[in-house]
Amino acid sequence: MKNLVKNFVFILLIFLVISGLFTLFSQPFEKGKELSITQLAEEVNQGKIKKITVTGDELQIIYQDDSKARSRKETELALSQSLINYGVDKEKLKEVEIKTKKEGGAMVWLGPVLLILLPLLFFGFFFWMIFRQAKTGATQAFDFTRAKARLFGAEGHPKEKITFKDVAGLKEAKEELEEVVDFLRNPKKYLQMGARIPRGVLLVGPPGTGKTLLSRAVASEAGVPFFSISGSEFVEMFVGVGASRVRDLFSTAKKAGRAVIFIDELDAVGRLRGAGIGGGHDEREQTLNQILVEMDGFERDDTRIVISATNRPDVLDPALLRPGRFDRRVVLDLPDINDRQEILKIHCRGKPLALNINLREVAERTPGFSGADLANVVNEAAILAARRNKKQIFQEELLESIEKVLLGPERKSHVLSKKEKEIAAFHEAGHALVSTSLMETEPVRKISIMARGVAAGYTLKLPKEERKIRTKSEFLAEMATLLGGYCAEKLKFGEITTGAANDLKRASELARKLVKEYGMSSLGPVSFGEKEEMIFLGKEISEQRNYSEKIATQIDKEVAKFIKDAETKAKKILMKRKVLLEKIAKRLIEKETIEREEFEELIKGGKKTTKEKPLPKTKGSVKVKVKSV
């Protein structure tokens, strides 16, 4: 569209210039009075003529009043002789200034030539531009088959150099990739030992864990070009474009010699063939086939390495993951507390931090955060400090930015009515009181009824230590905590509100997972249901049942039992500590926010300070990743 507008404006300007020139040359020059030689002789005798300029046979006449006229003399005779022949007095003729100009000059012939040639030149230039544009368009019509890979690290493309030192944590992943770096630096050392270097490395991990960053670090450490492209950039609406771009990408990398080819979001083209809509002619499948062919075409001494990243390894085609294509799978986990502290140090570089900054505390308050989340925390803290016209970033900005990243910005304009404020206070107090009364739950860090994001209030809990395995009793305690707000509303007001909708949804999902996925119900250690991947609007919309209707009824009963038991547990705790519930809720209504220290003082001031006995432990456990809020 931009090129079309540009060409239209250019053509319009050409026509304007041509029109102006035609207007200039087509307008007749101002003509003076035309005199015959007889009239000229009479006016010379009358003393009216001041000056006569002779150019060949042309006479330019200037009167005493500076008016002008034109005339022509006889070709054979001089002007003075012609005038005397027509009866001009010699004395009168002497009073007239006669000037002779040499006939000729460039304008004599250039004017007529330009009048004819210039329009032709402009029309020729116009048509040349039209044909040139058509030729360029024809060339660009096939240019979209070329891979649009971004090149980093090559000569003439200076970019910010990223090394392993710039990637905090991921110790095991970096050790795996150091062999790849060593091969790119010294390929002969491995080839002499008869070793075959991995052709492909698949980086697997949640979003924001540093897959792209680590890939760039490999290329920077090895000092080789880094060709980066996303899987979605291969596929176009035209048939064969994706495969053509794959060929062009690998061919370009081969010309560079030692190189790293990075394909981000591999699952965009590497999904299981035959699982989606379309058959073998599907453009996405053709692109995947071409990737498989290109990776099979690597020679033993080939120094190109393909690094790909995905957070959905479960949907990739088995042919893509077999040895000889992606030989190595490197898993990138979410950072632990020490890694989070190191990541925060990296993202705080170049930022003016106050002397009392404690990054360890920030790392403790951000379990489950990825590297990208932590970068966002630091950036939000810098924005908050700038908004408050501070010259440095203080600890309070960092801690406040954690809640902003977790829950969204504080909505100060969202003012609750007195009744709504009371409901929100008892709801959050119910969550906090049930949580602190159970041994298996995490400590309450903050309670607030200040609206953030879509939440009217929140109870922030933080784990004492990093955990990747959770027990059944911990899940049951979490369900009781989720229903604490629901039970508190029912206990205080005798009815429930829509504020508990999200809690009920999360508790129901957790109860169904306990039964169907974790095998923690009376139905035994059996996993029920198989998810079937369907590509429709980008969502999984189908689950394949591998159980009967009778079992489905039992599953529903088990889920209802878990929910009912959790409600009974929460209600029992709140009934026993009703006075403390009132106390916490009133403090929330008064201050709107209660920090951990103040909350612990309120708990110690209650009649019952010991936690409830833990729920019975089970042998079953499950590895999950949790971000507690």
Side-chain angles (χ1 to χ4, degrees):
M1 188 64 186
K2 289 182 179 179
N3 290 334
L4 182 62
V5 173
K6 182 179 177 182
N7 293 336
F8 178 76
V9 172
F10 186 71
I11 293 170
L12 184 62
L13 288 174
I14 290 178
F15 275 115
L16 288 175
V17 171
I18 294 174
S19 301
L21 289 172
F22 269 111
T23 303
L24 176 65
F25 285 106
S26 62
Q27 286 182 347
F29 293 102
E30 183 182 355
K31 294 183 178 180
K33 186 168 63 172
E34 189 79 25
L35 298 178
S36 64
I37 193 70
T38 304
Q39 290 174 325
L40 178 61
E42 292 178 357
E43 292 184 353
V44 169
N45 288 332
Q46 294 173 4
K48 295 180 179 181
I49 305 301
K50 178 181 179 182
K51 182 180 178 181
I52 300 175
T53 302
V54 182
T55 306
D57 293 336
E58 295 288 333
L59 303 178
Q60 298 291 332
I61 304 163
I62 300 177
Y63 288 89
Q64 296 293 345
D65 58 0
D66 292 330
S67 60
K68 295 180 180 180
R70 294 191 306 164
S71 183
R72 290 182 64 86
K73 72 177 184 66
E74 296 176 350
T75 304
E76 297 82 3
L77 300 175
L79 175 61
S80 57
Q81 185 61 45
S82 295
L83 292 175
I84 291 173
N85 292 340
Y86 281 93
V88 173
D89 188 356
K90 291 183 180 180
E91 295 299 327
K92 293 290 184 179
L93 185 60
K94 290 179 181 179
E95 296 175 0
V96 178
E97 180 184 354
I98 299 176
K99 184 178 180 182
T100 304
K101 288 179 66 176
K102 189 175 182 181
E103 186 179 9
M107 290 305 298
V108 174
W109 59 270
L110 187 59
V113 170
L114 288 178
L115 185 62
I116 299 172
L117 189 60
L118 199 58
L120 295 177
L121 289 176
F122 271 107
F123 275 112
F125 178 72
F126 168 72
F127 285 110
W128 176 77
M129 288 296 297
I130 293 294
F131 288 123
R132 181 174 177 269
Q133 187 66 27
K135 183 179 179 181
T136 305
T139 305
Q140 291 177 346
F142 297 96
D143 189 54
F144 63 82
T145 59
R146 299 190 61 185
K148 301 175 182 178
R150 293 168 294 281
L151 177 62
F152 302 96
E155 294 182 4
H157 297 80
K159 294 286 182 181
E160 181 184 359
K161 188 175 181 180
I162 297 173
T163 63
F164 284 149
K165 293 181 180 179
D166 299 315
V167 184
L170 304 175
K171 182 179 178 181
E172 294 79 8
K174 287 191 284 189
E175 287 177 355
E176 285 285 321
L177 293 174
E178 278 175 358
E179 292 184 7
V180 177
V181 173
D182 193 29
F183 163 71
L184 289 171
R185 286 177 176 172
N186 308 298
K188 292 183 179 179
K189 180 174 70 172
Y190 293 89
L191 295 174
Q192 289 173 354
M193 297 297 296
R196 182 180 60 82
I197 295 302
R199 296 176 180 176
V201 179
L202 182 64
L203 303 181
V204 179
T209 49
K211 299 184 287 293
T212 303
L213 192 68
L214 197 58
S215 302
R216 288 190 60 182
V218 170
S220 296
E221 290 280 352
V224 299
F226 180 76
F227 295 90
S228 175
I229 192 169
S230 174
S232 60
E233 294 182 49
F234 286 118
V235 182
E236 291 279 358
M237 64 178 291
F238 302 105
V239 177
V241 173
S244 178
R245 286 182 176 177
V246 171
R247 288 191 295 270
D248 181 71
L249 173 63
F250 280 83
S251 174
T252 304
K254 188 173 185 179
K255 293 176 184 176
R258 295 180 302 153
V260 171
I261 302 172
F262 177 66
I263 304 176
D264 199 6
E265 304 297 343
L266 181 63
D267 51 279
V269 292
R271 286 176 175 261
L272 182 65
R273 287 171 291 184
I277 300 172
H281 63 280
D282 184 24
E283 173 64 12
R284 180 186 57 79
E285 294 188 7
Q286 294 296 331
T287 305
L288 173 59
N289 291 337
Q290 189 62 43
I291 293 176
L292 299 177
V293 170
E294 290 292 338
M295 294 188 72
D296 277 341
F298 283 2
E299 300 173 359
R300 181 173 173 272
D301 58 346
D302 202 315
T303 52
R304 290 173 295 167
I305 289 181
V306 180
I307 301 179
S308 293
T310 182
N311 53 8
R312 294 293 309 277
D314 54 307
V315 302
L316 295 180
D317 194 279
L320 197 61
L321 301 177
R322 73 159 176 81
R325 289 184 178 129
F326 284 100
D327 303 273
R328 289 193 179 183
R329 181 182 296 191
V330 180
V331 178
L332 281 66
D333 289 322
L334 292 171
D336 59 19
I337 184 170
N338 295 320
D339 291 341
R340 290 199 297 273
Q341 186 175 357
E342 294 301 318
I343 292 171
L344 287 168
K345 288 180 181 179
I346 290 176
H347 290 304
C348 285
R349 290 175 184 172
K351 293 181 174 62
L353 302 179
L355 297 177
N356 64 340
I357 285 291
N358 185 358
L359 295 180
R360 184 70 180 186
E361 181 183 5
V362 179
E364 290 173 353
R365 293 196 182 194
T366 52
F369 276 46
S370 66
D373 292 328
L374 294 172
N376 196 19
V377 167
V378 176
N379 186 60
E380 289 292 343
I383 293 173
L384 282 173
R387 187 185 302 166
R388 294 167 181 173
N389 297 319
K390 294 183 178 181
K391 301 298 182 182
Q392 291 180 315
I393 302 173
F394 291 85
Q395 189 76 359
E396 59 182 297
E397 278 82 33
L398 282 171
L399 298 181
E400 187 175 343
S401 65
I402 295 173
E403 297 177 24
K404 186 174 181 181
V405 171
L406 277 173
L407 303 168
E410 186 174 303
R411 295 190 296 163
K412 296 181 180 180
S413 61
H414 185 71
V415 181
L416 298 175
S417 65
K418 185 177 180 181
K419 182 66 176 177
E420 289 176 332
K421 196 172 185 180
E422 187 180 10
I423 293 173
F426 274 93
H427 183 98
E428 299 303 331
H431 283 311
L433 188 56
V434 172
S435 178
T436 197
S437 300
L438 297 173
M439 295 293 294
E440 299 84 1
T441 55
E442 297 159 348
V444 175
R445 183 66 188 83
K446 185 176 182 179
I447 316 169
S448 177
I449 56 173
M450 291 289 293
R452 274 191 179 273
V454 296
Y458 58 94
T459 300
L460 187 63
K461 299 183 296 178
L462 296 176
K464 295 178 181 178
E465 57 186 9
E466 301 285 338
R467 291 184 300 175
K468 294 186 178 180
I469 298 177
R470 300 186 68 187
T471 63
K472 178 181 177 180
S473 58
E474 290 172 346
F475 284 126
L476 295 178
E478 183 179 346
M479 289 172 59
T481 301
L482 288 170
L483 294 174
Y486 172 88
C487 294
E489 290 182 20
K490 197 172 182 180
L491 179 64
K492 173 64 179 176
F493 304 104
E495 60 179 353
I496 56 176
T497 67
T498 57
N502 186 54
D503 298 329
L504 298 178
K505 179 182 177 182
R506 291 168 59 191
S508 301
E509 289 176 353
L510 182 54
R512 197 162 291 276
K513 284 185 177 181
L514 290 179
V515 179
K516 297 182 65 176
E517 296 182 26
Y518 304 154
M520 295 182 178
S521 69
S522 61
L523 296 178
V526 182
S527 177
F528 299 100
E530 295 177 354
K531 287 184 179 180
E532 184 176 343
E533 185 77 14
M534 289 191 68
I535 304 173
F536 181 73
L537 301 179
K539 297 181 179 180
E540 296 175 2
I541 60 171
S542 176
E543 180 184 78
Q544 182 67 34
R545 275 193 177 186
N546 57 359
Y547 50 89
S548 65
E549 290 295 332
K550 182 179 178 180
I551 296 296
T553 303
Q554 293 179 3
I555 290 173
D556 292 338
K557 288 181 180 179
E558 286 293 317
V559 171
K561 184 177 181 298
F562 276 129
I563 297 293
K564 195 65 179 177
D565 290 346
E567 182 189 6
T568 303
K569 188 70 175 176
K571 189 182 295 185
K572 180 182 176 183
I573 293 171
L574 295 176
M575 287 292 290
K576 287 183 179 180
R577 313 186 77 174
K578 189 174 181 180
V579 176
L580 186 56
L581 176 67
E582 295 272 356
K583 191 176 180 181
I584 296 171
K586 288 180 180 178
R587 185 67 64 88
L588 265 177
I589 294 172
E590 178 186 348
K591 299 187 67 176
E592 294 187 336
T593 299
I594 300 177
E595 294 289 345
R596 178 177 181 176
E597 296 76 13
E598 186 176 0
F599 177 69
E600 289 177 351
E601 288 179 5
L602 288 172
I603 296 297
K604 290 177 182 178
K607 293 181 180 179
K608 189 172 183 178
T609 57
T610 58
K611 284 197 172 187
E612 296 286 329
K613 291 182 180 180
L615 298 173
K617 298 266 185 179
T618 60
K619 294 182 179 179
S621 62
V622 62
K623 183 183 288 186
V624 295
K625 298 172 183 175
V626 178
K627 185 189 292 183
S628 298
V629 181

